[in-house]
């Protein structure tokens, strides 16, 4: 397994730096999940202020009978442990991003990656929408707030947010947003929506617990 810091056009850092100069700053953990080939590594890399840590391996013939590559036949590598990136949304708020592996055989890593997470982003590919069912179920059962981000792949049919919500049988109020995982501004908008939604959910739960 190869661990590498991928080059990032908008970063001058050589490795993640978790030092906080301002003791009042807030650092939040966000999990980026979804099906195989949905764009998790791409999203983390596009938005990260540092060179993202990637743990990728080249797809091999041994995995052909295990990994479903229908619809993503051009995909040559896959995350086998996690992706890591960091983005400062504004002064005082930094997000640490942990991307999960997409293949079923690596789901045992999800519990550790999700420990202490404020919220999650579930990336969806409308060509393979069923691939994100497991992620949706995972976060719903653990009551971790999440946003479904539909990654707009070239040539893929576009669906309205309410159609995607219905197809995934999402709980009422779970946001569905369109995005381009390759675009930094688009990915940043998804993360802002995720933090805002998680804030509302955690506040509502706190009020319920004291009410």
């Amino acid at each position: 397994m190869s661990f590498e810091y991928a080059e990032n056009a908008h970063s001058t850092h050589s490795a993640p730096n978790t030092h906080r100069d301002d003791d009042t700053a807030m650092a939040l953990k966000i999990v980026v999940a979804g099906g195989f080939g949905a764009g998790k590594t791409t999203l983390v890399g596009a938005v990260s202020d540092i060179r993202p840590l990637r743990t990728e391996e080249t797809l091999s013939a041994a995995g052909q009978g295990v990994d479903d590559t229908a619809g993503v036949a051009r995909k040559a590598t896959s995350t086998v442990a996690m992706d890591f990136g960091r983005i400062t949304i504004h002064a005082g708020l930094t997000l640490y991003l942990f991307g999960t592996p997409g293949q079923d055989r690596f789901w045992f890593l999800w519990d550790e990656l999700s420990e202490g997470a404020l919220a999650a982003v579930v990336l969806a590919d409308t060509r393979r929408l069923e691939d994100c069912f497991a992620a949706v179920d995972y976060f719903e059962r653990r009551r971790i707030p999440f946003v479904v981000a539909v990654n707009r792949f070239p040539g893929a049919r576009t669906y309205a947010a309410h159609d995607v919500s219905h197809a995934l049988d999402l709980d009422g109020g779970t946001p569905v947003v369109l995005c381009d995982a390759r675009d930094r501004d688009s990915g940043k908008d998804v993360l802002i929506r995720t933090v805002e939604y998680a804030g509302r959910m955690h506040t509502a739960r706190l009020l319920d617990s004291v009410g």
Side-chain angles (χ1 to χ4, degrees), residues 108-153:
F108 67 92
L109 295 169
W110 284 38
D111 286 345
E112 184 172 351
L113 292 176
S114 299
E115 181 69 26
L118 171 80
V121 174
V122 175
L123 274 171
D125 178 353
T126 57
R127 302 169 302 176
R128 298 157 53 100
L129 196 59
E130 67 279 2
D131 286 3
C132 66
F133 286 171
V136 168
D137 182 62
Y138 180 91
F139 295 117
E140 285 185 343
R141 284 189 287 111
R142 287 161 179 77
R143 302 186 75 228
I144 298 175
F146 66 93
V147 167
V148 173
V150 179
N151 193 8
R152 293 176 288 189
F153 286 90

Side-chain angles (χ1 to χ4, degrees), residues 145-147 172-175 192-202:
F146 66 93
V147 167
T174 301
I192 291 172
R193 287 284 300 274
T194 302
V195 171
E196 291 174 344
Y197 175 64
R200 293 195 300 270
M201 290 295 294
H202 286 296

Side-chain angles (χ1 to χ4, degrees), residues 69-210:
T69 58
V72 289
R74 297 177 62 184
K75 185 172 175 60
T77 61
S78 179
T79 299
V80 295
M82 71 170 192
D83 298 310
F84 174 80
R86 185 190 70 197
I87 178 173
T88 299
I89 298 298
H90 56 68
L93 176 58
T94 298
L95 304 182
Y96 290 95
L97 310 176
F98 291 79
T100 67
Q103 302 99 311
D104 296 3
R105 64 183 182 276
F106 294 123
W107 280 350
F108 67 92
L109 295 169
W110 284 38
D111 286 345
E112 184 172 351
L113 292 176
S114 299
E115 181 69 26
L118 171 80
V121 174
V122 175
L123 274 171
D125 178 353
T126 57
R127 302 169 302 176
R128 298 157 53 100
L129 196 59
E130 67 279 2
D131 286 3
C132 66
F133 286 171
V136 168
D137 182 62
Y138 180 91
F139 295 117
E140 285 185 343
R141 284 189 287 111
R142 287 161 179 77
R143 302 186 75 228
I144 298 175
F146 66 93
V147 167
V148 173
V150 179
N151 193 8
R152 293 176 288 189
F153 286 90
R157 182 177 174 181
T158 300
Y159 294 88
H162 64 83
D163 291 329
V164 174
S165 179
H166 178 73
L168 294 177
D169 192 26
L170 299 178
D171 290 340
T174 301
V176 175
V177 298
L178 300 179
C179 76
D180 182 343
R182 302 167 299 179
D183 183 76
R184 175 176 169 83
D185 289 337
S186 180
K188 186 175 180 179
D189 287 343
V190 169
L191 295 173
I192 291 172
R193 287 284 300 274
T194 302
V195 171
E196 291 174 344
Y197 175 64
R200 293 195 300 270
M201 290 295 294
H202 286 296
T203 298
R205 291 172 184 173
L206 177 62
L207 292 175
D208 286 343
S209 68
V210 300

